[in-house]
Every structure is written in C-alpha cells, then in structure tokens.
Amino acid sequence: MALTTRTADLMVSLWGPTDENEVLTTVIFLTLLPLSLLSSAFIVVTYGAFRRQLAKPGSDFVVWLSISDFMFSLRILVQFLFLSFDYFRNLVKNYSGILSTLILRLCYTHLDSCTYLCLGMAMFGQFSFSATISWNMMMSVRLLASFMRIKQLSHSSYNYSQTSWASRTLHSATWPYHLYAWGISLINTTIIYLIGGYSMADQVCFIQNSFVPRMFYIVPLFTHLFLCLAILLYILHRMKREGTKLHLPSSMEAIFRKEEKRFRRQMIKFTLVFVLLWLLPLTDRILDLVGIENYWLTMIDLACVTLQAFANSLVWGTSPHFIQFVRDKLRPKTHEHESLVFSQ
C-alpha cells in the first residue's frame, strides 16, 4: 500500500491527477517492461559474446525471438513514456534539455510530425508483435522437423539423399523460418495500414478498436497459439517412443539421442512459455472485441505479454548447455575435457 501511495504521489507530481487503475498500469509497465528489455538483451548479448560455446541446435531461433521480444517491449515502453501529450507537457515543464526541445518541436511546432511518429509507433508495434508470435511458431516447426528426422532415422531404408527437399531444408536451413517470420509480419503490418486500421486518436498509436483491424491481431495470435499447442501435444504424445532403434552406428546414436533430447526439451519449454503466457491475453482481446471488459483480466494481460522475455531468459539461463558454459568459465581447468565432449 505504501508503495502504491508513493507511486501515485509521483504520478500526480509529474502528470497530474490520476486514479488507482492508472497507478497499477504504471507499476506494471515501469517494472516489467525494463525487466523484459534486460532479459531479451541478456540472451542476445550472451549468445553474441560466446557464440562458439552456446551455439546449439535451436539457439539462433531463441536469439531471433529475443530480438522480437526486445522490439515489442521497447515499443510499449516508449509509447507509454513519451507518446502522450499530457506526459509531453509535464516533461517539458519539469525538465529541460535536448529531450524537451525535441518534444516541443515534434508535437507542438509540427503537429503533423507527431502524427507520423504515432503512426510509425503503431506500425512498429504491430510488426514486432507479429514477429514475436511468428518466431514462437517457427521454434515449434523446428521442433517438429527435428522429431520427424528422428522418425525417419528409425526406418531401415532411410537415405538422406532420398528425403524430400522440404524436409531437408526445414531441418538444416534457417532461411525458410526467417522468410516466414519477417515476411508474415511485414504483410500483416502493411495490410492494416492500407485499410486505414491504425488509430492516432488521443495518441493511442495502435490498431483501431473495430472488428476488421482487430482481426489482423487476434486471428494470427489464435492461429499461432493453436498450432504451437497442437505441435506440443503431438510431440509429448510421441515422446514415449524414445526407445525406437535408430539406424546409426551405436556410438553416434548415443550422442545423437543425447543432443536431440536436450534440444527437444528446451524447445518444449519455450513453446510452453508462449502458450501459457498468451492464452489469457488472447482471451482478453476477444472479450474486448465483443464489448466485454474485465479490469483484472486486462491487468493480467499486460503482465503476461511483458513477462515472456523474462520467462524465456530463465529457460535460456537454466539450460544444460548454458549451465555447463558457466561452470567451464568458473572452473575451466576441471571441466575442459567435459566441455569438449559436450560441444561435439
């Protein structure tokens, strides 16, 4: 209660009278959004700095998902802090310098510039949102491709050169995943712009609260969630057949199974994070579309969408290969041989 009171006093001093609902929204945004940004940056920076040690199957997918999460959280935080005329006025009144001068020039001297800025933020937000859910979907597809390879290896007549082009490409190449994730995001963002679906009223800087524009938000989210959940359930159901004999040399089969099991478990964890943290936001958006509003569901929605990056960073930081990497850094002499074997 004391924290809420201090937060409310701070908001009143900066932005004028407010209510408890706005205080809770502010607390969520100003605590979870920076946490989300730091979590996404943690994954990207550690992978970039120690790529040789951390580059495992599926790691690059996690990095691209983290980049999308970072863009998504950054857009929300920037809009919350700066794309409101009331915030602008009080920032200009209470502070001086380059920021205040920029705000004055954009949104008071040149109002059209502020409109374009708002439109740009709306389009950037939709693009980053679409990229986030698309990369979650691509991780599930990569998981499925890996599982199908295991299934192929269990057949005595398996011949890699005779497998389909699509199967080989999905397992060994990354460009199809990039093409889908970034391409579908660009198409979705552009279509909403062409139909005039972005709202700049009162600096909302988001999709209009009407049926057709919101369908370009809800339908992709529902589709990706459904497909990710379907793939997850299928993989979990089929994992009981782990004992199927693979037509590989015995030494290779043991290593292959160990690496595949680790990869599969990691991808399943990331998929679970996506499904669990986006089910309630999807529900909230559907209810909002039909005119049903629930304050606490909306607050949970805001918390969930900003917690995905943090949850992903926990999965990343507790993965076997990351823990092994940390141990090797702390005790390089003791674990040097073990690290070499693990990385093969």
Side-chain angles (χ1 to χ4, degrees):
M1 180 62 70
L3 176 62
T4 303
T5 303
R6 288 196 297 270
T7 305
D9 293 340
L10 175 62
M11 291 179 63
V12 170
S13 64
L14 287 178
W15 299 314
T18 185
D19 55 34
E20 293 184 0
N21 294 351
E22 290 178 346
V23 170
L24 182 56
T25 303
T26 301
V27 171
I28 291 175
F29 279 161
L30 294 185
T31 55
L32 297 186
L33 284 174
L35 179 63
S36 176
L37 293 172
L38 291 174
S39 300
S40 301
F42 167 72
I43 295 176
V44 175
V45 170
T46 52
Y47 181 82
F50 307 101
R51 184 171 183 174
R52 185 176 63 86
Q53 297 94 327
L54 296 177
K56 298 294 179 181
S59 296
D60 50 343
F61 286 71
V62 180
V63 172
W64 287 110
L65 172 60
S66 299
I67 292 174
S68 301
D69 285 337
F70 186 90
M71 294 191 302
F72 182 64
S73 299
L74 181 64
R75 175 262 174 186
I76 299 176
L77 183 61
V78 170
Q79 178 180 331
F80 176 74
L81 291 176
F82 300 120
L83 292 186
S84 167
F85 281 162
D86 290 335
Y87 292 178
F88 281 152
R89 292 191 186 99
N90 288 280
L91 281 171
V92 171
K93 181 177 66 176
N94 291 288
Y95 300 97
S96 61
I98 298 176
L99 176 61
S100 300
T101 303
L102 178 62
I103 292 170
L104 280 170
R105 288 181 177 178
L106 281 178
C107 295
Y108 290 101
T109 308
H110 305 288
L111 292 178
D112 289 341
S113 298
C114 198
T115 300
Y116 293 139
L117 177 63
C118 188
L119 175 61
M121 290 300 300
M123 296 182 68
F124 180 75
Q126 180 62 19
F127 179 83
S128 57
F129 157 76
S130 184
T132 295
I133 63 174
S134 295
W135 273 112
N136 276 289
M137 177 66 192
M138 291 301 95
M139 293 178 67
S140 295
V141 173
R142 179 64 179 82
L143 172 64
L144 181 62
S146 174
F147 181 82
M148 296 308 296
R149 188 187 183 201
I150 293 288
K151 188 176 181 180
Q152 291 171 345
L153 286 171
S154 65
H155 295 293
S156 59
S157 59
Y158 172 74
N159 188 329
Y160 182 78
S161 62
Q162 295 178 357
T163 57
S164 66
W165 173 84
S167 178
R168 295 197 305 269
T169 302
L170 287 177
H171 187 269
S172 60
T174 58
W175 67 263
Y177 302 99
H178 282 279
L179 182 63
Y180 177 87
W182 303 120
I184 201 71
S185 301
L186 182 61
I187 291 172
N188 181 283
T189 303
T190 304
I191 290 177
I192 298 176
Y193 171 75
L194 293 176
I195 65 174
Y198 294 109
S199 173
M200 274 69 74
D202 299 322
Q203 277 60 59
V204 172
C205 306
F206 194 58
I207 300 174
Q208 292 181 6
N209 192 22
S210 55
F211 183 80
V212 174
R214 284 299 172 99
M215 283 296 99
F216 285 93
Y217 189 100
I218 293 175
V219 171
L221 178 57
F222 173 82
T223 302
H224 287 79
L225 267 176
F226 175 80
L227 291 176
C228 285
L229 183 59
I231 292 174
L232 177 63
L233 293 177
Y234 174 76
I235 297 297
L236 291 175
H237 174 70
R238 301 288 295 185
M239 278 179 68
K240 61 184 180 182
R241 301 181 64 179
E242 287 284 338
T244 303
K245 174 67 178 175
L246 303 182
H247 293 275
L248 294 170
S250 57
S251 58
M252 288 183 59
E253 179 175 348
I255 296 174
F256 184 83
R257 281 194 177 279
K258 180 180 179 180
E259 292 299 320
E260 280 294 313
K261 182 180 292 186
R262 285 176 172 173
F263 161 75
R264 198 180 306 166
R265 287 177 176 174
Q266 283 301 103
M267 293 296 102
I268 287 175
K269 291 176 184 177
F270 284 113
T271 303
L272 275 173
V273 167
F274 173 58
V275 171
L276 294 177
L277 289 182
W278 280 92
L279 273 177
L280 283 177
L282 174 63
T283 303
D284 181 49
R285 283 155 172 75
I286 293 175
L287 292 176
D288 182 64
L289 185 67
V290 298
I292 301 176
E293 296 184 3
N294 184 293
Y295 171 73
W296 289 110
L297 183 60
T298 300
M299 293 299 103
I300 295 174
D301 175 356
L302 296 176
C304 284
V305 298
T306 52
L307 276 175
Q308 178 182 246
F310 175 68
N312 285 340
S313 71
L314 290 180
V315 176
W316 172 263
T318 57
S319 61
H321 68 279
F322 191 88
I323 293 175
Q324 184 66 48
F325 162 73
V326 174
R327 287 174 177 172
D328 290 344
K329 284 295 183 182
L330 295 177
R331 294 179 292 178
K333 300 297 183 182
T334 305
H335 294 275
E336 182 178 357
H337 176 68
E338 182 182 353
S339 176
L340 291 174
V341 172
F342 183 80
S343 63
Q344 291 177 352

